[in-house]
Amino acid sequence: MSDNKEQTGSTSASSTTKPSSSGLSGLLVRAASGLIYAGIFIMCLIIHPVTTAFCLAVISMISCREFFGMMRRDGKMPHVIIGSCVAALFPIAALGGSLYITATMFALVLAVGLWYVWSPRTRIMDVSVTLMGPIYTGFMLSAIVLLRDLLPGVPGALLAVGACASLWVSDSFAYLVGSRFGKHKMVPKISPNKSWEGFAGGVVGSILIWLILFATGLFIFSWQFAVVCGAVVSVLGVFGDLIESRIKRGAGVKDSGNLIPGHGGMLDRNDSLIFGGITALLMLMFGGIL
């Protein structure tokens, strides 16, 4: 009997060890791929506004194609070539300012309109998702190019990196706090892992990064503005995350793709940046910083 108990105990121990090891391995893969991605992204931000624009053009095109892939699963038939090309064009157009962004928006609506006229089988819902794809990805992410370009030199690079880092740190703090203390679910039907405790932790993480930006003395905003900006950017980043979760749930998929190990697709990796980046730009412009 004692031998059987020991065998059972050892089997039970080994079965509990394996998932733990697998979980640790998955966490390491996620951390490594996230660091590589962040490193490349930050390097492009630091080098020049042009490298920033081309980096975001690639991100926008891939994200838009992933969005279209999910829409196809949901029964829509977007024009992938028009949408993904314009998504890539938006960040590059941002180098020329609002005039070129407006011209790109006009070109998108015109191209999709002509496609709708010449293709009798195309439905208005196909037109709608074709328009949404590049606006949701390329147009929104082009704000980061403007953020990098409107303030020249090192301050511009630091501000762009800081704004993006505040969203990454917010995500990390939300995950750490939520996994440890999360008890009250935010929106269980859309994103069952999100908790109010994690949400609060994410806001704190974002505020810390904005306070560091304030502490550098390179920017003419107060610590109070840094706190407000950090909180609002974090909240809108969460909103962006929830929007993508809702899109995935509607399409019946877990991830938008499998490009980045441990993270899913490019859209999964940048869902909070889509809304958080443009929020940071608008707050800094309305606050007179840019």
Side-chain angles (χ1 to χ4, degrees):
M1 290 289 293
S2 64
D3 286 345
N4 287 338
K5 283 184 182 179
E6 285 175 11
Q7 260 189 328
T8 306
S10 112
T11 305
S12 165
S14 97
S15 67
T16 52
T17 304
K18 285 181 182 175
S20 172
S21 171
S22 173
L24 179 61
S25 173
L27 187 62
L28 289 174
V29 168
R30 177 182 172 85
S33 60
L35 286 172
I36 292 170
Y37 168 83
I40 295 171
F41 193 99
I42 290 171
M43 182 176 65
C44 290
L45 287 177
I46 291 173
I47 292 172
H48 198 271
V50 173
T51 56
T52 302
F54 278 96
C55 175
L56 285 161
V58 172
I59 290 172
S60 298
M61 176 179 278
I62 296 172
S63 298
C64 187
R65 292 182 72 88
E66 290 177 351
F67 172 78
F68 286 156
M70 290 189 287
M71 291 300 98
R72 284 179 176 273
R73 291 179 65 96
D74 198 32
K76 282 77 173 177
M77 296 299 292
H79 198 301
V80 177
I81 294 176
I82 292 177
S84 56
C85 287
V86 176
L89 188 58
F90 268 120
I92 296 170
L95 292 170
S98 60
L99 174 63
Y100 287 89
I101 293 176
T102 303
T104 304
M105 185 72 75
F106 168 72
L108 170 63
V109 176
L110 177 62
V112 173
L114 291 172
W115 167 56
Y116 185 51
V117 169
W118 287 341
S119 177
R121 297 180 64 182
T122 299
R123 302 162 299 171
I124 195 66
M125 68 175 66
D126 303 328
V127 170
S128 300
V129 296
T130 303
L131 289 171
M132 182 177 176
I135 293 172
Y136 173 51
T137 56
F139 171 76
M140 299 288 275
L141 289 171
S142 66
I144 299 170
V145 180
L146 294 173
L147 192 62
R148 173 64 178 88
D149 196 34
L150 288 176
L151 203 60
V154 174
L158 182 61
L159 189 59
V161 171
C164 295
S166 70
L167 288 156
W168 297 332
V169 171
S170 176
D171 286 345
S172 299
F173 270 49
Y175 172 77
L176 292 172
V177 174
S179 59
R180 178 69 178 85
F181 302 104
K183 292 181 180 178
H184 302 88
K185 301 297 183 182
M186 284 183 67
V187 278
K189 291 184 179 179
I190 296 176
S191 186
N193 294 326
K194 278 193 170 31
S195 67
W196 286 107
E197 291 83 359
F199 171 78
V203 171
V204 170
S206 178
I207 289 173
L208 286 175
I209 298 300
W210 283 90
L211 286 174
I212 290 171
L213 289 174
F214 160 74
T216 63
L218 294 173
F219 311 105
I220 51 169
F221 55 73
S222 64
W223 69 266
Q224 293 95 332
F225 180 85
V227 170
V228 172
C229 203
V232 175
V233 167
S234 177
V235 170
L236 267 293
V238 172
F239 183 63
D241 193 344
L242 291 175
I243 287 176
E244 203 232 348
S245 294
R246 178 68 180 85
I247 292 170
K248 290 189 291 187
R249 188 163 289 273
V253 297
K254 182 179 181 294
D255 297 315
S256 66
N258 56 6
L259 182 65
I260 306 175
H263 293 267
M266 187 65 77
L267 192 56
D268 294 319
R269 190 67 186 82
N270 293 284
D271 52 5
S272 60
L273 202 62
I274 286 173
F275 277 83
I278 196 167
T279 301
L281 174 69
L282 291 172
M283 292 201 69
L284 289 165
M285 292 184 77
F286 284 127
I289 314 304
L290 296 177

